Amino acid sequence: MTGGGHGIGRALCHRLRKENCDIVVADIEETAAKKVAETVDGRAFALDVGNETELSEFVNQVEQEIGPIDLFVSNAGVGFGDAVTGAASKQGGQVACDDRWEACWRVNVMAHVYAARELVPRMRERGGGYLVNVASAAGLLSQIGDAAYSATKHAAVAFAESLAITHGEQGIHVSVVCPQAVATRMIGIEDDSDLREGGFGGNDVDGILSPEAVAECIVAGIDERRFLILPHSPVATYFQRKANDHDRWISGMQRFQRKLSEKKA
Ligand SMILES: NC(=O)c1ccc[n+]([C@@H]2O[C@H](COP(=O)([O-])OP(=O)(O)OC[C@H]3O[C@@H](n4cnc5c(N)ncnc54)[C@H](O)[C@@H]3O)[C@@H](O)[C@H]2O)c1
């Protein structure tokens, strides 16, 4: 499990443990990975998924010391938001613009490519395996206010499609997970905030789900060998509407963006 130290990854570690899986928690934040590993009787690794050498050594070490990886979840992801001047801006916010694009590209896309390069040949040799790639509804629709996140999550969905098409008949199962808002640090909700008291840290994003609910959906999707896992069911309808009339969908998104900026002003 990459990015298993927090949020969706952590919840999925807990949920998969209930299925009696042996869990390996990998995260760029080693302390967080260790904390989760302790709770699932698993092993923790410090890993930057955007670094191919590190990822390859990680897979090697896990397979040598623990055993063959049957299910690999590429869950780590990053997003930074556009600068106020929008999608075409050269300016950065807290992180310089090109650094934001580069980080999104490495973590949201290349990490999935690196994992597949390392694991597909091993899984094929063993007669099969399962890759779960966590993308986002932003990879099917778009995230207003984050061009780099939207573009790279689209790429992540497209890469998962390629994997499924090319390697499905070789026994490699692929699922891509496309949630909308989930109550994690990614949308400004600190770990273990007031989530358990029924609130979401004051965040009022529509239809927000808990990471535990998303983990439940992912496990159900894996059980059914579903390619596209949509924890928020309306995403399927939005995606169909977009496919039916792309121009109309863009107009709708422009109206939505206007509404959001009026709310902020
Ligand atoms: N929270 C949402 O609203 C939401 C919606 C759709 C998709 N997602 C996706 O879900 C996935 C999990 O995000 P989350 O919401 O749980 O956020 P999160 O910030 O709680 O967790 C992300 C985890 O990834 C780790 N990470 C970041 N960069 C890494 C790197 N280079 N190498 C290894 N680990 C790294 C972080 O330390 C963290 O533990 C991401 O891919 C995200 O894009 C989140």
Side-chain angles (χ1 to χ4, degrees):
M1 173 77 55
T2 74
H6 296 276
I8 297 170
R10 177 176 56 186
L12 193 51
C13 284
H14 290 149
R15 183 60 188 80
L16 287 171
R17 184 63 192 145
K18 286 192 190 153
E19 301 289 314
N20 287 324
C21 296
D22 292 325
I23 311 283
V24 174
V25 190
D27 204 288
I28 201 161
E29 292 183 20
E30 190 176 11
T31 315
K34 280 185 174 157
K35 224 167 124 185
V36 176
E38 272 167 27
T39 62
V40 293
D41 212 8
R43 283 272 303 273
F45 286 81
L47 169 69
D48 176 359
V49 292
N51 179 319
E52 184 166 20
T53 310
E54 271 188 40
L55 206 144
S56 161
E57 283 169 5
F58 162 71
V59 170
N60 253 319
Q61 198 180 343
V62 170
E63 295 225 332
Q64 270 173 24
E65 293 177 11
I66 302 170
I69 299 171
D70 306 315
L71 170 71
F72 190 93
V73 185
S74 286
N75 161 73
V78 289
F80 305 92
D82 293 330
V84 281
T85 40
S89 176
K90 272 193 179 179
Q91 295 165 11
Q94 286 179 327
V95 182
C97 185
D98 283 352
D99 292 350
R100 282 194 276 115
W101 274 92
E102 175 65 23
C104 283
W105 180 245
R106 279 190 314 106
V107 180
N108 296 346
V109 186
M110 291 314 293
H112 297 191
V113 178
Y114 300 150
R117 276 182 191 161
E118 196 58 49
L119 284 154
V120 166
R122 293 168 188 261
M123 289 176 168
R124 277 181 65 182
E125 212 173 283
R126 298 195 279 262
Y130 210 129
L131 301 170
V132 173
N133 292 350
V134 179
S136 167
L140 300 172
L141 305 165
S142 257
Q143 175 77 41
I144 290 176
D146 201 334
Y149 188 75
S150 300
T152 54
K153 290 295 188 178
H154 272 75
V157 172
F159 179 64
E161 287 172 356
S162 292
L163 279 177
I165 293 164
T166 323
H167 298 293
E169 285 178 5
Q170 296 155 359
I172 313 286
H173 295 288
V174 182
S175 292
V176 67
V177 187
C178 294
Q180 283 186 305
V182 186
T184 70
R185 288 194 314 179
M186 180 159 271
I187 61 163
I189 296 172
E190 279 308 313
D191 288 358
D192 306 321
S193 59
D194 48 0
L195 181 64
R196 271 161 196 78
E197 277 73 58
F200 287 113
N203 197 306
D204 65 352
V205 179
D206 192 25
I208 192 164
L209 288 180
S210 70
E212 288 76 15
V214 173
E216 201 60 50
C217 265
I218 296 174
V219 170
I222 293 172
D223 277 347
E224 291 169 20
R225 302 284 187 269
R226 224 178 308 134
F227 173 73
L228 185 59
I229 300 180
L230 299 177
H232 300 75
S233 50
V235 172
T237 310
Y238 301 152
F239 190 41
Q240 274 163 10
R241 284 185 193 150
K242 178 180 172 180
N244 283 343
D245 191 338
H246 217 128
D247 287 285
R248 189 162 177 222
W249 177 81
I250 291 282
S251 304
M253 290 295 272
Q254 287 167 338
R255 273 197 306 280
F256 186 35
Q257 151 141 310
R258 229 173 6 253
K259 240 167 74 182
L260 290 175
S261 357
E262 282 164 11
K263 211 168 153 189
K264 261 193 207 156

PDB file of all heavy atoms in Angstrom, residues 177-191:
ATOM      1  N   VAL A 177      -9.530   3.668  -9.053  1.00  0.00           N
ATOM      2  CA  VAL A 177     -10.486   4.198  -8.082  1.00  0.00           C
ATOM      3  C   VAL A 177     -10.619   5.706  -8.317  1.00  0.00           C
ATOM      4  O   VAL A 177      -9.621   6.430  -8.339  1.00  0.00           O
ATOM      5  CB  VAL A 177      -9.988   3.943  -6.634  1.00  0.00           C
ATOM      6  CG1 VAL A 177     -11.059   4.338  -5.630  1.00  0.00           C
ATOM      7  CG2 VAL A 177      -9.590   2.480  -6.446  1.00  0.00           C
ATOM      8  N   CYS A 178     -11.873   6.164  -8.486  1.00  0.00           N
ATOM      9  CA  CYS A 178     -12.084   7.570  -8.818  1.00  0.00           C
ATOM     10  C   CYS A 178     -13.079   8.239  -7.862  1.00  0.00           C
ATOM     11  O   CYS A 178     -14.242   8.498  -8.227  1.00  0.00           O
ATOM     12  CB  CYS A 178     -12.576   7.695 -10.264  1.00  0.00           C
ATOM     13  SG  CYS A 178     -11.344   7.178 -11.467  1.00  0.00           S
ATOM     14  N   PRO A 179     -12.634   8.540  -6.645  1.00  0.00           N
ATOM     15  CA  PRO A 179     -13.543   9.205  -5.702  1.00  0.00           C
ATOM     16  C   PRO A 179     -13.631  10.704  -5.941  1.00  0.00           C
ATOM     17  O   PRO A 179     -12.735  11.302  -6.527  1.00  0.00           O
ATOM     18  CB  PRO A 179     -12.899   8.956  -4.324  1.00  0.00           C
ATOM     19  CG  PRO A 179     -11.551   8.365  -4.586  1.00  0.00           C
ATOM     20  CD  PRO A 179     -11.321   8.310  -6.057  1.00  0.00           C
ATOM     21  N   GLN A 180     -14.750  11.277  -5.449  1.00  0.00           N
ATOM     22  CA  GLN A 180     -14.783  12.742  -5.285  1.00  0.00           C
ATOM     23  C   GLN A 180     -14.234  13.018  -3.886  1.00  0.00           C
ATOM     24  O   GLN A 180     -13.367  12.285  -3.418  1.00  0.00           O
ATOM     25  CB  GLN A 180     -16.216  13.244  -5.439  1.00  0.00           C
ATOM     26  CG  GLN A 180     -16.659  13.300  -6.900  1.00  0.00           C
ATOM     27  CD  GLN A 180     -18.025  13.922  -7.056  1.00  0.00           C
ATOM     28  OE1 GLN A 180     -18.986  13.470  -6.447  1.00  0.00           O
ATOM     29  NE2 GLN A 180     -18.132  14.939  -7.889  1.00  0.00           N
ATOM     30  N   ALA A 181     -14.770  14.012  -3.196  1.00  0.00           N
ATOM     31  CA  ALA A 181     -14.155  14.433  -1.930  1.00  0.00           C
ATOM     32  C   ALA A 181     -14.184  13.353  -0.851  1.00  0.00           C
ATOM     33  O   ALA A 181     -15.203  12.704  -0.618  1.00  0.00           O
ATOM     34  CB  ALA A 181     -14.867  15.672  -1.418  1.00  0.00           C
ATOM     35  N   VAL A 182     -13.040  13.184  -0.218  1.00  0.00           N
ATOM     36  CA  VAL A 182     -12.897  12.240   0.894  1.00  0.00           C
ATOM     37  C   VAL A 182     -12.249  13.011   2.050  1.00  0.00           C
ATOM     38  O   VAL A 182     -11.337  13.824   1.839  1.00  0.00           O
ATOM     39  CB  VAL A 182     -12.004  11.041   0.491  1.00  0.00           C
ATOM     40  CG1 VAL A 182     -11.988   9.999   1.602  1.00  0.00           C
ATOM     41  CG2 VAL A 182     -12.472  10.420  -0.824  1.00  0.00           C
ATOM     42  N   ALA A 183     -12.723  12.721   3.257  1.00  0.00           N
ATOM     43  CA  ALA A 183     -12.279  13.501   4.426  1.00  0.00           C
ATOM     44  C   ALA A 183     -10.861  13.129   4.851  1.00  0.00           C
ATOM     45  O   ALA A 183     -10.656  12.323   5.752  1.00  0.00           O
ATOM     46  CB  ALA A 183     -13.255  13.264   5.576  1.00  0.00           C
ATOM     47  N   THR A 184      -9.877  13.693   4.167  1.00  0.00           N
ATOM     48  CA  THR A 184      -8.468  13.430   4.491  1.00  0.00           C
ATOM     49  C   THR A 184      -7.693  14.750   4.463  1.00  0.00           C
ATOM     50  O   THR A 184      -8.227  15.793   4.094  1.00  0.00           O
ATOM     51  CB  THR A 184      -7.823  12.490   3.444  1.00  0.00           C
ATOM     52  OG1 THR A 184      -7.692  13.212   2.221  1.00  0.00           O
ATOM     53  CG2 THR A 184      -8.637  11.231   3.218  1.00  0.00           C
ATOM     54  N   ARG A 185      -6.406  14.635   4.766  1.00  0.00           N
ATOM     55  CA  ARG A 185      -5.542  15.820   4.740  1.00  0.00           C
ATOM     56  C   ARG A 185      -5.533  16.489   3.379  1.00  0.00           C
ATOM     57  O   ARG A 185      -5.313  17.683   3.255  1.00  0.00           O
ATOM     58  CB  ARG A 185      -4.096  15.411   5.062  1.00  0.00           C
ATOM     59  CG  ARG A 185      -3.854  15.032   6.483  1.00  0.00           C
ATOM     60  CD  ARG A 185      -2.385  14.981   6.764  1.00  0.00           C
ATOM     61  NE  ARG A 185      -1.650  14.257   5.714  1.00  0.00           N
ATOM     62  CZ  ARG A 185      -0.340  14.070   5.696  1.00  0.00           C
ATOM     63  NH1 ARG A 185       0.388  14.548   6.670  1.00  0.00           N
ATOM     64  NH2 ARG A 185       0.246  13.407   4.724  1.00  0.00           N
ATOM     65  N   MET A 186      -5.734  15.672   2.330  1.00  0.00           N
ATOM     66  CA  MET A 186      -5.669  16.227   0.982  1.00  0.00           C
ATOM     67  C   MET A 186      -6.648  17.376   0.794  1.00  0.00           C
ATOM     68  O   MET A 186      -6.394  18.300   0.026  1.00  0.00           O
ATOM     69  CB  MET A 186      -5.932  15.140  -0.042  1.00  0.00           C
ATOM     70  CG  MET A 186      -5.886  15.653  -1.446  1.00  0.00           C
ATOM     71  SD  MET A 186      -5.601  14.381  -2.654  1.00  0.00           S
ATOM     72  CE  MET A 186      -3.827  14.343  -2.730  1.00  0.00           C
ATOM     73  N   ILE A 187      -7.785  17.315   1.480  1.00  0.00           N
ATOM     74  CA  ILE A 187      -8.723  18.437   1.349  1.00  0.00           C
ATOM     75  C   ILE A 187      -8.766  19.245   2.656  1.00  0.00           C
ATOM     76  O   ILE A 187      -9.769  19.858   2.998  1.00  0.00           O
ATOM     77  CB  ILE A 187     -10.118  17.983   0.872  1.00  0.00           C
ATOM     78  CG1 ILE A 187     -10.761  17.005   1.855  1.00  0.00           C
ATOM     79  CG2 ILE A 187     -10.062  17.379  -0.502  1.00  0.00           C
ATOM     80  CD1 ILE A 187     -12.256  16.873   1.630  1.00  0.00           C
ATOM     81  N   GLY A 188      -7.659  19.188   3.372  1.00  0.00           N
ATOM     82  CA  GLY A 188      -7.514  20.075   4.529  1.00  0.00           C
ATOM     83  C   GLY A 188      -8.080  19.541   5.821  1.00  0.00           C
ATOM     84  O   GLY A 188      -8.245  20.286   6.782  1.00  0.00           O
ATOM     85  N   ILE A 189      -8.383  18.254   5.850  1.00  0.00           N
ATOM     86  CA  ILE A 189      -8.914  17.688   7.085  1.00  0.00           C
ATOM     87  C   ILE A 189      -7.812  16.882   7.753  1.00  0.00           C
ATOM     88  O   ILE A 189      -7.352  15.872   7.219  1.00  0.00           O
ATOM     89  CB  ILE A 189     -10.141  16.807   6.804  1.00  0.00           C
ATOM     90  CG1 ILE A 189     -11.245  17.703   6.223  1.00  0.00           C
ATOM     91  CG2 ILE A 189     -10.613  16.106   8.064  1.00  0.00           C
ATOM     92  CD1 ILE A 189     -12.431  16.964   5.722  1.00  0.00           C
ATOM     93  N   GLU A 190      -7.372  17.360   8.873  1.00  0.00           N
ATOM     94  CA  GLU A 190      -6.267  16.689   9.552  1.00  0.00           C
ATOM     95  C   GLU A 190      -6.705  15.316  10.039  1.00  0.00           C
ATOM     96  O   GLU A 190      -7.866  15.075  10.321  1.00  0.00           O
ATOM     97  CB  GLU A 190      -5.779  17.539  10.728  1.00  0.00           C
ATOM     98  CG  GLU A 190      -4.845  18.662  10.307  1.00  0.00           C
ATOM     99  CD  GLU A 190      -3.675  18.187   9.436  1.00  0.00           C
ATOM    100  OE1 GLU A 190      -3.027  17.187   9.773  1.00  0.00           O
ATOM    101  OE2 GLU A 190      -3.423  18.829   8.397  1.00  0.00           O
ATOM    102  N   ASP A 191      -5.724  14.425  10.126  1.00  0.00           N
ATOM    103  CA  ASP A 191      -6.020  13.061  10.566  1.00  0.00           C
ATOM    104  C   ASP A 191      -6.759  13.065  11.877  1.00  0.00           C
ATOM    105  O   ASP A 191      -6.430  13.817  12.790  1.00  0.00           O
ATOM    106  CB  ASP A 191      -4.716  12.304  10.774  1.00  0.00           C
ATOM    107  CG  ASP A 191      -4.064  11.987   9.454  1.00  0.00           C
ATOM    108  OD1 ASP A 191      -4.650  12.318   8.421  1.00  0.00           O
ATOM    109  OD2 ASP A 191      -2.968  11.438   9.468  1.00  0.00           O
TER     110      ASP A 191
END
